[in-house]
Amino acid sequence: MAQIGMIGLAVMGSNLARNMESKGYPVAVYDIDRAAEQRFLDTYGAGKFEAAEACGWDFDLRTALRL
């Protein structure tokens, strides 16, 4: 189970998540744009990454960011 989570999978978030995973850390990923999250998982996932919901992480991004 992932202990590191990446919120936001644009260029920087995607690269950071892939870099941490390449070093052996399990990473859960989340993007407010669900299509972007699914594209990331389809492209890079292959059993390497988990969606945040699959880890049982339940949070409201707007609350987390104090919006």
Side-chain angles (χ1 to χ4, degrees):
M1 176 178 271
Q3 295 180 348
I4 297 173
M6 179 59 58
I7 299 173
L9 297 171
V11 174
M12 185 169 61
S14 173
N15 286 331
L16 286 169
R18 292 183 312 150
N19 187 299
M20 289 184 282
E21 188 280 326
S22 74
K23 305 294 189 242
Y25 297 98
V27 179
V29 295
Y30 175 85
D31 197 290
I32 197 164
D33 177 358
R34 307 308 258 166
E37 180 180 320
Q38 191 58 53
R39 279 191 306 273
F40 177 88
L41 291 170
D42 290 344
T43 304
Y44 303 110
K48 296 180 179 182
F49 298 93
E50 300 177 70
E53 288 82 15
C55 296
W57 295 1
D58 183 25
F59 61 92
D60 179 353
L61 184 60
R62 288 169 292 181
T63 302
L65 297 176
R66 301 189 196 292
L67 297 176

